[in-house]
Amino acid sequence: MPSTETINPLRAINEEFQQIEKDIRLGGGLKAIERQHEKNRLTARERIDLLVDDPAGFTELGLWAAYEMYAEHGGAPGAGVVTGVGQVEGRTCMIIANDATVKAGAFFPMTCKKIIRAQHMAHMARMPLVYLVDSAGVFLPLQEDVFPDTDDFGRIFRNNAVISAEGIPQIAAIMGFCVAGGGYLPVLCDTLLMTEGSGLYLAGPALVKAAIGQEVSDEDLGGASMHAAISGTIDFKEKDDESCIKRVRSLVKKHDGMSKVVKSEGGEAPARQGEDIYSAFNGGGQYDVRDVLECVVDGDSFDEYKGEYGASIVCGYASIDGRSVGVVANQKMVTKRVMGGQAHGGKGGPTHSVNMPGVIYDESADKAARFIMDCNQRKIPIVFLHDTTGFMVGRDSEQQGIIRSGAKMVNAMSNCVVPKIVVILNASYGAGNYAMCGRAFDPFISLAWPGSKCAVMGAAQATGVLAMIEERSRQRKGETIDEGTKQTILKAVADSYNEQQDIRHGAARGWLDRIIEPHRTREELIAALDMTQNWDYSREFRTGVLQV
């Protein structure tokens, strides 16, 4: 007889996402990998495996970048670059490696954004950077979207200069081609290595001949021997990828500016196992977010802050693997609210009402703002767990000052001087996304579970609004809208909106850093906290004017 056991929906979608990730990691595909090997060069992932102390401990960032984008150009899996954090000789480093199996490592618009994001994270946490360079430069068919703006190609080089000026170590190793403007990246780093057979030049032989009529070989124009002996541009010439990476590891080991990771003494095991997340979480209904926290934080470490007040947001102090953190989490179950008699003209004493699941109310925002400020006083990172449909609306909510309270929470969160770590569990909509440290508010790292959603509002509400706009537009043109046409419009709008709110859509565009396996949330948070060990907590916390 067939099994009647059903797979947990969250577990099923996680398995689907894991299979897609395997395909993305192939980059340009098996044939492109073979071509890279035929040149006696390793792929970006093979280079990283050699570079880091433990390949299994490498935390990849931006894997979904450019997912299902640039189809007219054959796609760009991972945006043609691998970024992530790993230990090199015991030092935590941000690693950026061009993937030459994807369009020869050319820069697409999302390639730039992905590298800039990695640089920004390294800058925030004062992490050393290692660049493994192998790129043909700008992808010319999309040059107008790659070249000119503040989040485009040139910003990478600006970041190189600023990061170097702040004393954060940068090492670049050219193990392939480094062409045109891309040549500034390695030369703006502190230390530069180059393998034999690689090329570093502003213009290749063909372009030089076209521009000035000069015929010159690759080696004379920009080979490793030329740059080592004549131009003096590089610091180390290496025979091949393996010897180059060995040298990088040796240099990292001898750099006093790269402090070794200090492992925490660890904490108690969580009250519940990671696998219990699948039963604790209910994406289609209500659940108590404290049950999820029991699978994540150290056992018996959660001290809930103002537990009976502002219950639609759960705040508390906890430890994760012995590291102190603050937690701000949306509550996805109906909670009770008690309002003083003054709210109703002093008649009848306190009144009772309920808070809807996942909705942020005024007193919850007030509580969260106060808690965020206290975490900054304590100098502890804050973990934001998203599952919100946004702020409460309506006459009562407006009269109770929901905008003022929400602004207070946004102000406190925006001005944090401590690391902000985000995990989107399910929904992250509208201004709720902002208040819970959405992408626009400088989270150190943004993580999300498979199947989660992020948009200005939920699909049902958005579909109704957008479909109404479309109907009225057609009516103004004199078109008759019968029931069949109306349903067609509704379906088209719903399909489009559902695609846009899918977390993969956001991940493709760089709005988050990792889609993680739910049962490994604790391990992911431990890795994120490890990345922040060099964080500068000396900055003063200030909020400016608060609407009280």
PDB file of all heavy atoms in Angstrom, residues 196-217:
ATOM      1  N   GLU A 196      51.462  32.628 -13.817  1.00  0.00           N
ATOM      2  CA  GLU A 196      51.975  32.589 -15.180  1.00  0.00           C
ATOM      3  C   GLU A 196      50.851  32.200 -16.134  1.00  0.00           C
ATOM      4  O   GLU A 196      50.012  31.344 -15.827  1.00  0.00           O
ATOM      5  CB  GLU A 196      53.117  31.577 -15.272  1.00  0.00           C
ATOM      6  CG  GLU A 196      54.338  31.971 -14.455  1.00  0.00           C
ATOM      7  CD  GLU A 196      55.433  30.910 -14.503  1.00  0.00           C
ATOM      8  OE1 GLU A 196      55.276  29.935 -15.267  1.00  0.00           O
ATOM      9  OE2 GLU A 196      56.429  31.058 -13.772  1.00  0.00           O
ATOM     10  N   GLY A 197      50.806  32.871 -17.262  1.00  0.00           N
ATOM     11  CA  GLY A 197      49.748  32.621 -18.236  1.00  0.00           C
ATOM     12  C   GLY A 197      48.540  33.515 -18.067  1.00  0.00           C
ATOM     13  O   GLY A 197      47.629  33.513 -18.897  1.00  0.00           O
ATOM     14  N   SER A 198      48.529  34.305 -16.999  1.00  0.00           N
ATOM     15  CA  SER A 198      47.431  35.254 -16.775  1.00  0.00           C
ATOM     16  C   SER A 198      47.738  36.578 -17.482  1.00  0.00           C
ATOM     17  O   SER A 198      48.876  36.815 -17.900  1.00  0.00           O
ATOM     18  CB  SER A 198      47.232  35.496 -15.280  1.00  0.00           C
ATOM     19  OG  SER A 198      46.799  34.317 -14.633  1.00  0.00           O
ATOM     20  N   GLY A 199      46.726  37.433 -17.579  1.00  0.00           N
ATOM     21  CA  GLY A 199      46.920  38.715 -18.243  1.00  0.00           C
ATOM     22  C   GLY A 199      46.287  39.858 -17.468  1.00  0.00           C
ATOM     23  O   GLY A 199      45.141  39.760 -17.034  1.00  0.00           O
ATOM     24  N   LEU A 200      47.036  40.930 -17.307  1.00  0.00           N
ATOM     25  CA  LEU A 200      46.552  42.135 -16.631  1.00  0.00           C
ATOM     26  C   LEU A 200      46.866  43.328 -17.516  1.00  0.00           C
ATOM     27  O   LEU A 200      48.025  43.702 -17.689  1.00  0.00           O
ATOM     28  CB  LEU A 200      47.228  42.280 -15.261  1.00  0.00           C
ATOM     29  CG  LEU A 200      47.049  43.627 -14.544  1.00  0.00           C
ATOM     30  CD1 LEU A 200      45.582  43.881 -14.198  1.00  0.00           C
ATOM     31  CD2 LEU A 200      47.917  43.678 -13.283  1.00  0.00           C
ATOM     32  N   TYR A 201      45.840  43.918 -18.133  1.00  0.00           N
ATOM     33  CA  TYR A 201      46.073  45.081 -18.993  1.00  0.00           C
ATOM     34  C   TYR A 201      44.775  45.866 -19.182  1.00  0.00           C
ATOM     35  O   TYR A 201      43.674  45.334 -19.045  1.00  0.00           O
ATOM     36  CB  TYR A 201      46.635  44.686 -20.361  1.00  0.00           C
ATOM     37  CG  TYR A 201      46.176  43.356 -20.903  1.00  0.00           C
ATOM     38  CD1 TYR A 201      44.852  43.121 -21.240  1.00  0.00           C
ATOM     39  CD2 TYR A 201      47.098  42.327 -21.102  1.00  0.00           C
ATOM     40  CE1 TYR A 201      44.448  41.899 -21.748  1.00  0.00           C
ATOM     41  CE2 TYR A 201      46.706  41.095 -21.612  1.00  0.00           C
ATOM     42  CZ  TYR A 201      45.376  40.894 -21.937  1.00  0.00           C
ATOM     43  OH  TYR A 201      44.986  39.666 -22.430  1.00  0.00           O
ATOM     44  N   LEU A 202      44.953  47.146 -19.517  1.00  0.00           N
ATOM     45  CA  LEU A 202      43.792  47.999 -19.767  1.00  0.00           C
ATOM     46  C   LEU A 202      43.145  47.677 -21.109  1.00  0.00           C
ATOM     47  O   LEU A 202      41.940  47.861 -21.278  1.00  0.00           O
ATOM     48  CB  LEU A 202      44.203  49.474 -19.733  1.00  0.00           C
ATOM     49  CG  LEU A 202      44.574  50.028 -18.354  1.00  0.00           C
ATOM     50  CD1 LEU A 202      44.974  51.490 -18.467  1.00  0.00           C
ATOM     51  CD2 LEU A 202      43.425  49.867 -17.375  1.00  0.00           C
ATOM     52  N   ALA A 203      43.934  47.221 -22.058  1.00  0.00           N
ATOM     53  CA  ALA A 203      43.401  46.848 -23.372  1.00  0.00           C
ATOM     54  C   ALA A 203      44.177  45.645 -23.888  1.00  0.00           C
ATOM     55  O   ALA A 203      45.413  45.620 -23.806  1.00  0.00           O
ATOM     56  CB  ALA A 203      43.520  48.011 -24.345  1.00  0.00           C
ATOM     57  N   GLY A 204      43.471  44.649 -24.425  1.00  0.00           N
ATOM     58  CA  GLY A 204      44.106  43.460 -24.956  1.00  0.00           C
ATOM     59  C   GLY A 204      44.801  43.714 -26.276  1.00  0.00           C
ATOM     60  O   GLY A 204      44.670  44.794 -26.874  1.00  0.00           O
ATOM     61  N   PRO A 205      45.566  42.721 -26.766  1.00  0.00           N
ATOM     62  CA  PRO A 205      46.329  42.892 -28.007  1.00  0.00           C
ATOM     63  C   PRO A 205      45.493  43.358 -29.192  1.00  0.00           C
ATOM     64  O   PRO A 205      45.921  44.228 -29.954  1.00  0.00           O
ATOM     65  CB  PRO A 205      46.910  41.497 -28.245  1.00  0.00           C
ATOM     66  CG  PRO A 205      47.017  40.899 -26.877  1.00  0.00           C
ATOM     67  CD  PRO A 205      45.832  41.412 -26.117  1.00  0.00           C
ATOM     68  N   ALA A 206      44.293  42.801 -29.350  1.00  0.00           N
ATOM     69  CA  ALA A 206      43.452  43.163 -30.494  1.00  0.00           C
ATOM     70  C   ALA A 206      43.039  44.634 -30.418  1.00  0.00           C
ATOM     71  O   ALA A 206      43.074  45.365 -31.420  1.00  0.00           O
ATOM     72  CB  ALA A 206      42.221  42.262 -30.549  1.00  0.00           C
ATOM     73  N   LEU A 207      42.662  45.078 -29.226  1.00  0.00           N
ATOM     74  CA  LEU A 207      42.234  46.464 -29.068  1.00  0.00           C
ATOM     75  C   LEU A 207      43.409  47.428 -29.216  1.00  0.00           C
ATOM     76  O   LEU A 207      43.270  48.517 -29.790  1.00  0.00           O
ATOM     77  CB  LEU A 207      41.573  46.650 -27.696  1.00  0.00           C
ATOM     78  CG  LEU A 207      40.986  48.039 -27.411  1.00  0.00           C
ATOM     79  CD1 LEU A 207      40.002  48.451 -28.499  1.00  0.00           C
ATOM     80  CD2 LEU A 207      40.317  48.063 -26.039  1.00  0.00           C
ATOM     81  N   VAL A 208      44.580  47.030 -28.741  1.00  0.00           N
ATOM     82  CA  VAL A 208      45.776  47.868 -28.891  1.00  0.00           C
ATOM     83  C   VAL A 208      46.096  48.069 -30.372  1.00  0.00           C
ATOM     84  O   VAL A 208      46.399  49.184 -30.818  1.00  0.00           O
ATOM     85  CB  VAL A 208      46.981  47.245 -28.156  1.00  0.00           C
ATOM     86  CG1 VAL A 208      48.277  47.937 -28.557  1.00  0.00           C
ATOM     87  CG2 VAL A 208      46.776  47.334 -26.646  1.00  0.00           C
ATOM     88  N   LYS A 209      45.991  46.984 -31.123  1.00  0.00           N
ATOM     89  CA  LYS A 209      46.285  47.096 -32.561  1.00  0.00           C
ATOM     90  C   LYS A 209      45.272  48.003 -33.244  1.00  0.00           C
ATOM     91  O   LYS A 209      45.632  48.848 -34.094  1.00  0.00           O
ATOM     92  CB  LYS A 209      46.272  45.725 -33.217  1.00  0.00           C
ATOM     93  CG  LYS A 209      46.648  45.772 -34.696  1.00  0.00           C
ATOM     94  CD  LYS A 209      46.748  44.382 -35.295  1.00  0.00           C
ATOM     95  CE  LYS A 209      47.164  44.475 -36.773  1.00  0.00           C
ATOM     96  NZ  LYS A 209      47.301  43.151 -37.410  1.00  0.00           N
ATOM     97  N   ALA A 210      43.992  47.845 -32.870  1.00  0.00           N
ATOM     98  CA  ALA A 210      42.950  48.673 -33.478  1.00  0.00           C
ATOM     99  C   ALA A 210      43.105  50.147 -33.084  1.00  0.00           C
ATOM    100  O   ALA A 210      42.842  51.049 -33.874  1.00  0.00           O
ATOM    101  CB  ALA A 210      41.567  48.161 -33.066  1.00  0.00           C
ATOM    102  N   ALA A 211      43.536  50.378 -31.848  1.00  0.00           N
ATOM    103  CA  ALA A 211      43.600  51.752 -31.332  1.00  0.00           C
ATOM    104  C   ALA A 211      44.844  52.501 -31.792  1.00  0.00           C
ATOM    105  O   ALA A 211      44.762  53.667 -32.199  1.00  0.00           O
ATOM    106  CB  ALA A 211      43.534  51.727 -29.804  1.00  0.00           C
ATOM    107  N   ILE A 212      46.009  51.837 -31.719  1.00  0.00           N
ATOM    108  CA  ILE A 212      47.251  52.562 -32.037  1.00  0.00           C
ATOM    109  C   ILE A 212      48.116  51.847 -33.072  1.00  0.00           C
ATOM    110  O   ILE A 212      49.235  52.285 -33.359  1.00  0.00           O
ATOM    111  CB  ILE A 212      48.075  52.821 -30.753  1.00  0.00           C
ATOM    112  CG1 ILE A 212      48.533  51.492 -30.120  1.00  0.00           C
ATOM    113  CG2 ILE A 212      47.281  53.641 -29.753  1.00  0.00           C
ATOM    114  CD1 ILE A 212      49.486  51.692 -28.939  1.00  0.00           C
ATOM    115  N   GLY A 213      47.614  50.724 -33.623  1.00  0.00           N
ATOM    116  CA  GLY A 213      48.342  50.033 -34.682  1.00  0.00           C
ATOM    117  C   GLY A 213      49.536  49.225 -34.200  1.00  0.00           C
ATOM    118  O   GLY A 213      50.338  48.766 -35.017  1.00  0.00           O
ATOM    119  N   GLN A 214      49.667  49.030 -32.919  1.00  0.00           N
ATOM    120  CA  GLN A 214      50.819  48.305 -32.369  1.00  0.00           C
ATOM    121  C   GLN A 214      50.494  46.822 -32.212  1.00  0.00           C
ATOM    122  O   GLN A 214      49.452  46.466 -31.694  1.00  0.00           O
ATOM    123  CB  GLN A 214      51.187  48.905 -31.010  1.00  0.00           C
ATOM    124  CG  GLN A 214      52.433  48.310 -30.379  1.00  0.00           C
ATOM    125  CD  GLN A 214      52.700  48.924 -29.005  1.00  0.00           C
ATOM    126  OE1 GLN A 214      52.014  48.619 -28.033  1.00  0.00           O
ATOM    127  NE2 GLN A 214      53.686  49.827 -28.953  1.00  0.00           N
ATOM    128  N   GLU A 215      51.422  45.976 -32.679  1.00  0.00           N
ATOM    129  CA  GLU A 215      51.267  44.538 -32.493  1.00  0.00           C
ATOM    130  C   GLU A 215      52.123  44.107 -31.305  1.00  0.00           C
ATOM    131  O   GLU A 215      53.318  44.394 -31.252  1.00  0.00           O
ATOM    132  CB  GLU A 215      51.679  43.774 -33.754  1.00  0.00           C
ATOM    133  CG  GLU A 215      50.747  44.035 -34.941  1.00  0.00           C
ATOM    134  CD  GLU A 215      50.999  43.065 -36.096  1.00  0.00           C
ATOM    135  OE1 GLU A 215      51.715  42.066 -35.876  1.00  0.00           O
ATOM    136  OE2 GLU A 215      50.476  43.312 -37.193  1.00  0.00           O
ATOM    137  N   VAL A 216      51.498  43.425 -30.359  1.00  0.00           N
ATOM    138  CA  VAL A 216      52.185  43.047 -29.129  1.00  0.00           C
ATOM    139  C   VAL A 216      51.606  41.738 -28.614  1.00  0.00           C
ATOM    140  O   VAL A 216      50.418  41.466 -28.790  1.00  0.00           O
ATOM    141  CB  VAL A 216      52.050  44.173 -28.067  1.00  0.00           C
ATOM    142  CG1 VAL A 216      50.599  44.422 -27.708  1.00  0.00           C
ATOM    143  CG2 VAL A 216      52.865  43.867 -26.830  1.00  0.00           C
ATOM    144  N   SER A 217      52.434  40.920 -28.005  1.00  0.00           N
ATOM    145  CA  SER A 217      51.968  39.632 -27.468  1.00  0.00           C
ATOM    146  C   SER A 217      51.295  39.837 -26.119  1.00  0.00           C
ATOM    147  O   SER A 217      51.485  40.861 -25.445  1.00  0.00           O
ATOM    148  CB  SER A 217      53.147  38.679 -27.290  1.00  0.00           C
ATOM    149  OG  SER A 217      54.012  39.139 -26.250  1.00  0.00           O
TER     150      SER A 217
END
